[in-house]
Amino acid sequence: MRLQKFRMPGLRFRFSLAAFPFCSIPYRDSCSLSFRAQRGIRFFFGRLSQQTAKSFLAVILSVACVPLGVGFPLPVAAAPEAPAKDKKPKQDGALKGLPITELSADEAILHALNRLAYGPRPGDIERVKQVGLAKWIEQQLNPNSIDDKAVEARLQDYPTLRMPTAKLIEEYPQPKQAEKQAERRAQAQERQDQRRANAADAAPPADKGVQSSQTQSGSSGGQDATANSGSASQSAAENPNAPALMKEPEIPPESATKGARKRDALGGGDPNSVPRAMADDSKRPQRIVAELAMAKVARAIYSERQLQQVLDDFWFNHFNVFAGKGEDRYYLTSYERDVIQPHTLGKFKDLLTATAKSPAMLFYLDNFLSADPRAAQRQAMERAMRQQARYGRFGRPWPPRPPVNPQAKKNERGLNENYGRELMELHTLGVDGGYTQKDVTEVARSFTGWTLEKPRQYADFQFDDRLHDPDPKIVLGKKIHAGGMKDGEQVIDLLAHHPSTAKFISTELARRFVSDNPPASLVNRMAETFQSSDGDIRAVMKTVIWSPEFWSREAYRAKIKTPFELVVSAARALGTDVDTPLPLVQWVGRIGEPLYQCQPPTGYSDKSEAWVNTGALLNRLNFSLALAGNKMRGARSDAASLLGVDSSADPKAALDRAVQVFLGGQAAPATVEILEKQLDNPQVLRARLDDPRKQMDLGVVAGLVLGAPEFQRR
């Protein structure tokens, strides 16, 4: 049995990782704790006594790691008496129109806010009660009816969100590209100076002297720029129009599972430091992704259109694209803005078509390189026929045959099956959708010619008929021969209306909104709605929300929050005023879910087992304490206003109030017992020898409760 040792000022203890058998499930990292995790543990446990620290950790792990739906902690308050069997309980007016029979009004509203939003803000439960839960849900299903100007004003701080791809490539070039751009600017300056000099020769003497001085000044600037770009001028010239794949360094498998490179600050750097490449005035490509991530966090915290934000995250993860692959960092802004967000509650076929034509997806899965293997030969024959028509008709000598270039033959483009495979396995049918490897090949043939025009300049979608396979294809027993780009569109139509797609998408949505293993009866009803409504996502969501399974006791707090959900829900619960979301973005990565950094096309897992292990849970505790205790740059929380100033003098009242505010008054007895033991801790009491009065540190109390297992669930 391996013992993990922890040290902190005046305290040293050990506990066994093997004591927590449920937490041996890997997620994005191994269960062995790194130096960073140990340092995080010291941050948290420095406030706790030796025995209570071990006890609190044991409670966190044992409660958070139990199988979902089994042994969920009972509320602190006594459960209401069950009504007599012959009497039907009267439904609360706030729940009118919804099939809610097992949850109280407060529980149902909290459940809705945790599933259809990113958790309640102070006062949200009362506001939903006044409006009525069904009406609030209808508003969320129609986001355009909700005024969201406040969050739009916050997003004005991120100019890249409104830029087209060409502008992003121009304004935020790669370092080598920046050197080349400097060289081009220097050359343009030299040409301009030369024109000025030529004009000065014909100018009057007085003007000539002025222009001469300008020419000398401009020439010196041009020489400096040329000198700075010497390395770029010596590098091999690249054709900006060539759709060549951007080479990426090899990434170790363990880094791939984490979803981000270690050098990327979004993947978990120090949350209170700003990397130079991501600073407000940075012109590096990393700033583009940083602004995307900050905007995502800001929307999730402050947007009134909460369900749209939840579905934005769901669909982006479903159609995942990795920001770390070459030019995709430039394409992601348009991908989320123009492809994902407008289709979150629309027709699935429209969303699928938009992703298939998006430069981000074409580049990510290499379909922009896919071509009919016979395309080069076919083009050569066409050139030969044109030459024959040009020369042979007038009896001119045949042009000499160009020599064979071995390198050109090596670089000939062929069929790429990446997109065809992921389109069926991850985007539509599912791994058990009934397709074969032959179907993968036929789908790939159908999408040949779907490529990019000038991927390093503006990267527009382009269909190149010269690269397309014109022969008939057979996909899932159906003949595909519409011709040209319509072959791919015919495949999209076939897959979007396939019964396996209806079941797969319904299962994914039910897993996100109901439970890790959703009831088959619910999935079947959702699939029926999907097919009868022509893939209307809004209609499928209504089937989910108006189902008894969604409001069942088994579904209540049955999901573990992902790191993103935890960070956002904690900020909302505290009513935190976030001026700079970047530290929150970095905390999301530190806990295990770096935004836009998931390398595999599967996206991040939506199952609870992926996020439960010792290191991750301790990082969650550290985050909660840092946020509630105002130890985070750019974020200000006021725990005293939430818990009440009077509660600072009464430790028990402060704890009870925190449990009521953040957990809806429901916490496991073991959790409450351990928390109560912390009330005499000097770090919590802020006691001083020369001051007999004891004042609670309400930030620490709030942080401990936010780190409790009940808050990790939704």
Side-chain angles (χ1 to χ4, degrees), residues 473-711:
K473 301 95 179 168
I474 303 296
V475 177
L476 301 174
K478 304 290 185 181
K479 184 177 181 179
I480 305 295
H481 197 206
M485 190 172 72
K486 291 183 179 179
D487 283 353
E489 293 174 343
Q490 189 176 352
V491 169
I492 289 176
D493 185 74
L494 172 65
L495 296 178
H497 293 94
H498 197 278
S500 294
T501 298
K503 183 175 181 181
F504 180 67
I505 298 300
S506 298
T507 302
E508 293 290 295
L509 285 168
R511 180 174 294 124
R512 171 63 181 81
F513 288 97
V514 180
S515 66
D516 285 0
N517 299 294
S521 58
L522 173 61
V523 172
N524 291 336
R525 294 200 307 275
M526 293 169 63
E528 290 173 3
T529 301
F530 187 98
Q531 291 185 283
S532 63
S533 65
D534 193 27
D536 190 323
I537 300 170
R538 182 181 284 105
V540 176
M541 286 301 303
K542 285 185 176 180
T543 300
V544 178
I545 299 171
W546 267 266
S547 70
E549 292 89 343
F550 180 83
W551 304 102
S552 66
R553 177 63 62 178
E554 289 76 15
Y556 183 69
R557 281 180 174 168
K559 297 276 294 181
I560 295 291
K561 294 177 182 176
T562 65
F564 177 67
E565 291 167 346
L566 171 71
V567 168
V568 171
S569 64
R572 284 174 62 84
L574 285 165
T576 304
D577 183 14
V578 180
D579 292 330
T580 306
L582 187 57
L584 295 176
V585 171
Q586 292 173 289
W587 266 110
V588 175
R590 189 173 184 177
I591 300 173
E593 190 187 7
L595 300 178
Y596 304 103
Q597 303 295 320
C598 184
Q599 187 178 27
T602 53
Y604 288 119
S605 173
D606 202 16
K607 290 189 175 182
S608 301
E609 65 187 24
W611 307 110
V612 175
N613 77 55
T614 309
L617 291 171
L618 291 173
N619 268 328
R620 289 173 178 237
L621 285 168
N622 289 339
F623 162 74
S624 300
L625 287 163
L627 183 66
N630 290 317
K631 300 292 194 296
M632 194 174 301
R633 180 179 57 85
R636 181 69 185 175
S637 303
D638 189 0
S641 65
L642 289 175
L643 305 184
V645 179
D646 295 340
S647 62
S648 62
D650 186 345
K652 185 65 169 60
L655 178 60
D656 291 344
R657 177 64 179 160
V659 170
Q660 180 63 43
V661 169
F662 301 122
L663 305 181
Q666 297 179 334
T671 301
V672 176
E673 180 183 357
I674 296 301
L675 288 172
E676 287 178 345
K677 291 181 180 179
Q678 312 314 311
L679 300 181
D680 293 329
N681 191 303
Q683 294 288 341
V684 178
L685 289 174
R686 294 189 298 186
R688 294 169 52 186
L689 294 176
D690 57 347
D691 187 358
R693 295 175 300 176
K694 295 182 179 180
Q695 294 290 323
M696 290 289 295
D697 189 333
L698 297 180
V700 175
V701 174
L704 289 173
V705 174
L706 291 174
E710 288 79 5
F711 193 80

Side-chain angles (χ1 to χ4, degrees), residues 380-400:
M381 291 178 63
E382 291 174 357
R383 285 194 298 269
M385 292 176 66
R386 287 195 299 269
Q387 291 174 352
Q388 181 179 3
R390 183 179 305 170
Y391 294 104
R393 183 181 310 167
F394 302 101
R396 294 181 182 178
W398 294 100

Side-chain angles (χ1 to χ4, degrees), residues 324-346:
K325 182 174 180 178
E327 307 297 81
D328 258 332
R329 68 194 65 193
Y330 297 113
Y331 306 158
L332 272 185
T333 301
S334 174
Y335 182 64
E336 187 165 45
R337 178 189 65 214
D338 305 326
V339 174
I340 300 296
Q341 291 175 355
H343 297 98
T344 52
L345 284 164

Side-chain angles (χ1 to χ4, degrees), residues 365-387:
L365 293 179
D366 301 325
N367 198 76
F368 81 113
L369 296 172
S370 186
D372 180 6
R374 301 165 300 171
Q377 180 183 0
R378 195 164 55 241
Q379 292 176 33
M381 291 178 63
E382 291 174 357
R383 285 194 298 269
M385 292 176 66
R386 287 195 299 269
Q387 291 174 352

Side-chain angles (χ1 to χ4, degrees), residues 173-345:
Q174 297 278 18
K176 288 185 179 180
Q177 293 175 350
E179 293 174 2
K180 293 177 183 178
Q181 289 181 5
E183 182 180 8
R184 288 195 294 268
R185 284 194 295 268
Q187 292 173 353
Q189 182 67 36
E190 288 178 358
R191 289 193 296 269
Q192 183 179 3
D193 292 342
Q194 186 61 42
R195 287 194 298 269
R196 288 177 178 174
N198 294 337
D201 292 339
D207 294 342
K208 184 175 180 179
V210 174
Q211 295 210 10
S212 176
S213 64
Q214 292 176 350
T215 302
Q216 292 175 3
S217 174
S219 297
S220 63
Q223 291 171 1
D224 292 343
T226 306
N228 291 337
S229 61
S231 59
S233 63
Q234 296 173 1
S235 61
E238 299 181 19
N239 179 7
N241 298 332
L245 181 63
M246 300 293 290
K247 293 184 178 180
E248 287 290 305
E250 292 294 328
I251 302 175
E254 63 272 15
S255 180
T257 57
K258 293 180 186 178
R261 295 176 178 84
K262 290 183 179 179
R263 68 170 181 267
D264 196 326
L266 296 184
D270 182 1
N272 284 330
S273 68
V274 182
R276 184 67 192 90
M278 296 183 185
D280 292 345
D281 59 346
S282 171
K283 288 296 182 180
R284 292 289 188 90
Q286 293 92 324
R287 177 65 187 179
I288 300 173
V289 183
E291 288 196 4
L292 268 179
M294 288 189 286
K296 184 181 180 75
V297 169
R299 287 191 193 99
I301 295 175
Y302 292 109
S303 176
E304 298 295 334
R305 302 172 180 178
Q306 281 287 291
L307 181 57
Q308 184 177 28
Q309 306 311 319
V310 172
L311 285 171
D312 281 350
D313 181 65
F314 172 84
W315 288 120
F316 189 98
N317 200 56
H318 184 81
F319 295 102
N320 181 58
V321 171
F322 174 45
K325 182 174 180 178
E327 307 297 81
D328 258 332
R329 68 194 65 193
Y330 297 113
Y331 306 158
L332 272 185
T333 301
S334 174
Y335 182 64
E336 187 165 45
R337 178 189 65 214
D338 305 326
V339 174
I340 300 296
Q341 291 175 355
H343 297 98
T344 52
L345 284 164

